[in-house]
Amino acid sequence: ASFTVSLHKVDNTTVTIKLRPGVSPSCLIRTKNVIRSELKIKPGENVTFAFTCSIPEKYFIMEVQKNIDCVSGPCPFGDVHLYPLGLPRLNRTYIWDVKASTKAGLELKFSTPWLRQIEPGETCPDSISYNINSCIDKATVNIGTFCRNGSVSRVKLLGGVVMSLHLPWHSRLTTSGFNIANRASIKRLCIIESILKGESSTTLMSPNYPLGFPEDELMTWQFVVPSNMRASVFFHNYSLSNCERKEERVEYYIPGSPSNPEVFKLSDSQPANIAGSFNMSLQGCDQDAQNPGILRLLFQVVLQHPQVDENVTHLVDLSKEKNMTVTIHLEGWPSLIPLMSEPICLICKDPRTCDRVLTLTSGAVYRISFLCKDLSRLRITAEKGIGCMDIRWCQRKIYSLSVPKAITRLPIRLHKFIWKLLATDLINVEITSPSLKLQQHLPEQRCNASYSYSIVSATPETELNVGVFCPGGSIEKIQMRNNITISLKTFGKGFINESIPQDLKMSFVPHIKDECTFTVSPNPKAKVYLQTPNWPYGLPPYVSISWFIVVPSKQTARLGFSKDRMGIACETGRAYVNIKEETLGAEETVRREDELLPQPRNMHHNFWVNVSNCKPVDKTQLTLQFWVTFADKQTDLGIILAVVAGVGVLMAIGLTVCCVKKKKKKTQNPMVGVYNANVNTQMPGKKGLFSKGRQNSDSHVYAVIDDAVVYGHLLKEFSGSVAPEVDVYRPFDGPVGSLPPSPPPFSFRKDIKCSSNTEEELPPLTDTDQDTYTFAHQKPGQSEDNGDANEKHKGDTSVPLLENKEQDGLVE
């Protein structure tokens, strides 16, 4: 098919048909007898041409440019038409180049459905796009690229404009969709009008985006907002130039504001919840010639209905908290950024300061409100820091790791609460859960609570993932070295109810030798699984972990490992598993990495399990899991028989001893001492204690004394040593028996030790009477009552006890 294009000279229009970039010239243009790859039709020409192929749209594009001079003559204002008619169906671009004085302003007014600005490189769904460039003197500024179906209704420009309309070959659009009007000077680069309707979101960019906004320029966006709606402004991407003079800023003219214009930095939270139409202006500065930098801005204006709860405030009291931040955000933040077209949820800390993300810091009281239809889309992430630089100031202090009520009372679900515990190298962290205890989350024992704790021990060189734990287990205490991060993560809505009995506590303790030590007090009826940290990647090299397992007194624990070997080979050092009961004389079980792990065994007392790693020869690290069960202690039958037999032997020995003693008593009358009960028995040696002198009493006379009957217990004992009274013995004047005297009791032969009590000086153990003790023996066969019968014997056989050294051998 052939095409004829006739251009009037007064239209000042040029049509150019050329090959698409990068396409081989498989199709050409034929004009009369000439074959060419490009055709240019100038004003006043009439050209007939045809293509050498049936699908020219695959190979050719077309540009239609109309020049309009508004400087030297009148401007053809009004609707802009697509001229000329009868053009071939190719991908085509219409360009209107309007030259105008900078003292005047031009207005491009678009018909519905208006325009929507897009980022450079983005395409429109129907492939129809508009591009607007402002021309001031010889400088060209790209105002932006737009698609149809948006909120931009008018663009006012200072000076000339180059307007482009890009149509695909299959488009049947017959009108340009805009008109040109003459306006007075706007005294700024441009004004973009955006008419907002319904609940919607509009994205706009500064001119030249993502390149720099012109130096020291000013532009304005005008937003038309229905009276029953609320608008909020959010800056999503911006950068600042290096200013020599002035300051880059944003100014708002808001109806009803007492301080118009309201000036904001680009880094500030922008106004939100605005009722009524408003203007927003971007002001540049004089840039540094050597290093100008780039001023650019991409922002969003969100329109929504007033929320029912917008006047309902929630008190968040963080005045007593320290080193804590609370961030309220959309679910999935920050990795998942919601689409700008999605319904928005705003968090406001005052009626005009709202944002999709709000961060509250400790030490203040906040009253926040929500502009959101569905609060279930919001989450809370909080972080608290606890530090200790000197153990003397924080060793005895116990910190509660529980979620503050100021957070749990909000109608927002807690996503995560993070405690960062910081200390010096010689200070470690101890975590306890006295009542709930902790359960290690493993494939064999999964957590089913509504929240869990993730514990990580970190140094600048390494990071040790201690594990994931939940309440309701058997771990009472965990001691760890280095800086610790504990993250409480919730699952579902039940956390608020379950958070009431939270009992996780933390304290700083002196240095420990292992990287991590667990204290485990299992439920006697449960099977407890425990595994090394950093699962499944394995312990880092040279790391040592210990578990202390508490065994109830009436039960026996059974310890077993989930595999028979450690599964590593060491390049440097050795890997060990040590097991030892905490009892006197207990043997320690030790296994190296090249040995089989111990078989399941019974443990009768509290015991330790220690795992120490080496430097493995390959990337495989040490991973180990073991289990502990409990059973009631059962007495062995052999032990019972042995006890019964032992009792029988003891009973037989006891009967034999009794019989021998009874027979001895029948054959020998024991010597019996006669004690005078009428004397004072207080300790001799203290003056004034005896009412009568020894010369005037018989207290020093014993008719008989036997080594089994000694009255040494009547002597007082100071500081544990017996201090017998010292005296001189003299012969007994009366008749006595023929037996020699008995030896002194054993207690009298012990060395006398001085009392260590220096608070009270002891009186001297001396007697001024210098009396002597005299002993007499009773003949065998004589009774205790026959003491006077001694008078029938003739002669004096009494012997002073200590004068005859030969009697020392008579001690039994």
Side-chain angles (χ1 to χ4, degrees):
S2 62
F3 302 91
T4 300
V5 176
S6 179
L7 299 177
H8 301 290
K9 192 168 186 177
V10 294
D11 292 334
N12 205 12
T13 301
T14 301
V15 177
T16 302
I17 302 174
K18 56 186 177 180
L19 285 171
R20 297 173 60 181
V23 176
S24 61
S26 301
C27 185
L28 299 173
I29 303 171
R30 179 186 296 113
T31 58
K32 295 183 179 180
N33 296 324
V34 179
I35 302 296
R36 63 186 70 187
S37 60
E38 183 173 329
L39 175 63
K40 188 172 184 178
I41 307 173
K42 298 179 180 179
E45 294 182 350
N46 189 353
V47 178
T48 300
F49 61 93
F51 297 100
T52 61
C53 62
S54 59
I55 48 173
E57 65 273 10
K58 183 178 179 181
Y59 301 95
F60 291 96
I61 59 174
M62 181 169 56
E63 288 183 0
V64 180
Q65 180 170 337
K66 180 178 178 64
N67 296 321
I68 303 174
D69 186 0
C70 294
V71 177
S72 58
C75 285
F77 298 119
D79 293 337
V80 176
H81 302 284
L82 297 182
Y83 173 83
L85 301 176
L87 295 173
R89 298 182 64 183
L90 303 176
N91 290 344
R92 56 200 181 274
T93 300
Y94 293 90
I95 302 173
W96 294 271
D97 187 353
V98 182
K99 291 179 172 58
S101 171
T102 56
K103 297 180 180 179
L106 292 176
E107 178 183 281
L108 304 178
K109 185 175 181 181
F110 301 94
S111 57
T112 54
W114 302 323
L115 301 183
R116 172 176 63 88
Q117 189 173 7
I118 61 173
E119 296 186 49
E122 188 178 350
T123 59
C124 298
D126 57 3
S127 300
I128 299 175
S129 64
Y130 295 84
N131 185 264
I132 304 174
N133 288 272
S134 174
C135 300
I136 302 176
D137 298 328
K138 295 183 179 181
T140 301
V141 179
N142 180 18
I143 302 301
T145 302
F146 302 82
C147 300
R148 297 196 300 175
N149 298 318
S151 64
V152 177
S153 58
R154 287 188 296 178
V155 177
K156 302 174 185 179
L157 302 117
L158 181 66
V161 61
V162 177
M163 179 72 181
S164 302
L165 171 61
H166 304 277
L167 298 176
W169 66 270
H170 53 78
S171 174
R172 299 188 179 276
L173 192 65
T174 58
T175 60
S176 65
F178 71 97
N179 61 46
I180 299 176
N182 188 14
R183 288 292 180 265
S185 175
I186 57 176
K187 298 181 180 180
R188 60 199 67 204
L189 176 64
C190 66
I191 299 174
I192 298 176
E193 181 185 78
S194 178
I195 299 177
L196 306 176
K197 290 186 177 181
E199 289 200 333
S200 59
S201 172
T202 299
T203 301
L204 295 165
M205 285 147 272
S206 59
N208 279 346
Y209 187 89
L211 302 178
F213 185 70
E215 182 179 4
D216 196 24
E217 275 290 356
L218 173 67
M219 73 158 295
T220 299
W221 289 271
Q222 294 178 337
F223 297 99
V224 180
V225 179
S227 59
N228 62 336
M229 304 296 286
R230 299 290 183 268
S232 302
V233 180
F234 304 98
F235 287 3
H236 292 292
N237 189 13
Y238 68 88
S239 64
L240 303 175
S241 58
N242 298 314
C243 298
E244 282 190 344
R245 292 188 302 113
K246 300 182 183 179
E247 185 179 8
E248 295 165 336
R249 62 190 184 273
V250 181
E251 297 179 355
Y252 291 88
Y253 285 85
I254 300 175
S257 174
S259 57
N260 279 326
E262 295 186 19
V263 180
F264 291 80
K265 295 180 180 180
L266 275 73
S267 57
D268 293 337
S269 293
Q270 304 303 309
N273 202 26
I274 302 171
S277 302
F278 66 98
N279 293 351
M280 169 185 152
S281 298
L282 176 64
Q283 174 67 64
C285 67
D286 289 336
Q287 299 174 350
D288 185 353
Q290 301 297 326
N291 183 21
I294 294 177
L295 171 61
R296 60 185 172 191
L297 173 64
L298 183 148
F299 66 99
Q300 181 186 23
V301 179
V302 176
L303 194 69
Q304 57 191 155
H305 288 287
Q307 302 300 314
V308 176
D309 297 332
E310 69 172 318
N311 295 323
V312 177
T313 59
H314 302 270
L315 182 67
V316 183
D317 187 356
L318 304 180
S319 58
K320 297 182 180 179
E321 300 290 343
K322 295 181 179 179
N323 301 323
M324 189 170 84
T325 60
V326 178
T327 302
I328 305 174
H329 55 86
L330 284 171
E331 185 178 9
W333 175 89
S335 58
L336 181 61
I337 299 176
L339 298 175
M340 295 183 184
S341 58
E342 290 183 6
I344 195 168
C345 277
L346 299 180
I347 309 103
C348 306
K349 60 181 178 181
D350 60 58
R352 285 273 304 283
T353 306
C354 306
D355 208 337
R356 285 181 168 178
V357 178
L358 178 64
T359 299
L360 311 176
T361 57
S362 56
V365 179
Y366 302 90
R367 286 177 171 82
I368 65 173
S369 59
F370 302 98
L371 297 178
C372 184
K373 286 185 176 180
D374 186 8
L375 291 181
S376 65
R377 299 175 58 205
L378 295 177
R379 296 290 183 270
I380 297 175
T381 298
E383 182 175 307
K384 183 178 179 66
I386 303 174
C388 179
M389 299 297 109
D390 191 339
I391 193 66
R392 294 175 299 176
W393 298 103
C394 44
Q395 181 176 6
R396 297 182 179 179
K397 190 171 182 179
I398 298 177
Y399 301 86
S400 176
L401 302 185
S402 58
V403 180
K405 292 182 179 179
I407 296 177
T408 58
R409 288 172 178 169
L410 289 174
I412 308 298
R413 175 178 155 188
L414 176 67
H415 170 62
K416 187 180 290 186
F417 197 108
I418 302 170
W419 290 273
K420 291 191 174 181
L421 315 178
L422 308 176
T424 60
D425 293 339
L426 298 179
I427 303 175
N428 300 136
V429 172
E430 179 178 286
I431 301 170
T432 60
S433 181
S435 58
L436 294 179
K437 301 182 185 178
L438 296 177
Q439 172 186 312
Q440 192 171 10
H441 178 68
L442 305 174
E444 293 79 4
Q445 55 181 24
R446 296 186 177 275
C447 291
N448 56 6
S450 64
Y451 65 97
S452 66
Y453 299 100
S454 174
I455 303 176
V456 176
S457 171
T459 63
E461 295 81 15
T462 60
E463 182 175 280
L464 181 66
N465 185 3
V466 179
V468 176
F469 304 86
C470 56
S474 58
I475 300 174
E476 286 185 347
K477 181 169 62 178
I478 306 175
Q479 290 182 322
M480 292 167 287
R481 289 164 57 179
N482 309 321
N483 295 328
I484 309 300
T485 299
I486 303 175
S487 302
L488 183 151
K489 188 174 182 181
T490 63
F491 308 95
K493 300 179 180 179
F495 170 74
I496 296 178
N497 297 328
E498 292 186 19
S499 65
I500 299 173
Q502 284 184 88
D503 73 335
L504 196 65
K505 302 185 185 308
M506 185 279 301
S507 58
F508 293 101
V509 296
H511 187 72
I512 61 174
K513 66 173 184 176
D514 294 326
E515 271 72 14
C516 189
T517 301
F518 298 84
T519 299
V520 186
S521 180
N523 185 337
K525 298 181 180 179
K527 184 175 185 179
V528 178
Y529 288 89
L530 300 166
Q531 70 183 15
T532 52
N534 240 37
W535 189 281
Y537 306 105
L539 287 178
Y542 309 118
V543 167
S544 178
I545 308 294
S546 293
W547 292 264
F548 178 67
I549 289 85
V550 178
V551 180
S553 59
K554 296 183 180 181
Q555 290 193 315
T556 299
R558 188 160 182 82
L559 168 68
F561 291 87
S562 299
K563 57 183 180 180
D564 56 358
R565 289 184 180 272
M566 297 188 205
I568 62 169
C570 292
E571 177 182 332
T572 306
R574 288 285 192 180
Y576 291 96
V577 172
N578 300 60
I579 305 169
K580 186 176 182 180
E581 286 188 289
E582 196 178 57
T583 184
L584 187 63
E587 294 184 0
E588 185 174 6
T589 302
V590 182
R591 293 291 187 274
R592 295 196 311 259
E593 80 282 354
D594 56 352
E595 297 176 327
L596 289 172
L597 292 172
Q599 294 295 318
R601 58 180 57 200
N602 291 334
M603 313 296 286
H604 303 283
H605 305 87
N606 301 343
F607 64 95
W608 287 90
V609 176
N610 174 267
V611 177
S612 300
N613 197 13
C614 62
K615 182 182 179 182
V617 295
D618 51 23
K619 294 181 180 180
T620 304
Q621 299 292 346
L622 175 59
T623 59
L624 206 59
Q625 184 187 87
F626 61 94
W627 48 263
V628 179
T629 58
F630 288 90
D632 293 335
K633 285 185 177 179
Q634 296 181 357
T635 308
D636 187 68
L637 181 60
I639 296 176
I640 296 176
L641 294 177
V643 171
V644 171
V647 172
V649 170
L650 292 176
M651 290 178 64
I653 294 174
L655 290 174
T656 303
V657 171
C658 291
C659 292
V660 170
K661 284 191 174 183
K662 187 174 182 180
K663 184 176 181 180
K664 184 177 179 180
K665 287 181 180 180
K666 290 181 180 180
T667 58
Q668 178 183 355
N669 288 329
M671 292 171 287
V672 178
V674 179
Y675 174 68
N676 187 351
N678 296 321
V679 299
N680 191 327
T681 59
Q682 298 188 47
M683 187 181 73
K686 290 192 176 184
K687 298 179 180 180
L689 295 180
F690 292 95
S691 59
K692 295 172 63 178
R694 187 165 290 158
Q695 295 176 351
N696 302 324
S697 69
D698 296 330
S699 61
H700 62 293
V701 179
Y702 287 82
V704 173
I705 186 167
D706 182 46
D707 56 347
V709 184
V710 181
Y711 295 97
H713 65 280
L714 297 177
L715 300 176
K716 297 297 181 181
E717 183 173 320
F718 291 90
S719 66
S721 61
V722 178
E725 187 173 9
V726 179
D727 213 335
V728 178
Y729 297 92
R730 65 185 182 183
F732 180 65
D733 295 334
V736 295
S738 60
L739 294 177
S742 299
F746 284 107
S747 60
F748 279 30
R749 291 187 171 188
K750 296 178 182 178
D751 295 333
I752 301 173
K753 298 181 181 180
C754 297
S755 172
S756 60
N757 188 355
T758 59
E759 296 180 359
E760 181 180 354
E761 185 178 354
L762 299 178
L765 295 177
T766 57
D767 193 289
T768 57
D769 295 337
Q770 296 295 327
D771 293 338
T772 59
Y773 286 95
T774 305
F775 297 87
H777 283 269
Q778 184 179 3
K779 279 187 176 183
Q782 290 178 335
S783 65
E784 294 178 357
D785 299 333
N786 199 16
D788 295 337
N790 292 330
E791 297 178 0
K792 299 178 182 180
H793 295 272
K794 296 179 180 179
D796 186 1
T797 60
S798 64
V799 182
L801 176 63
L802 299 179
E803 287 183 3
N804 192 344
K805 296 182 180 180
E806 295 178 0
Q807 306 304 320
D808 292 343
L810 297 177
V811 180
E812 287 186 338

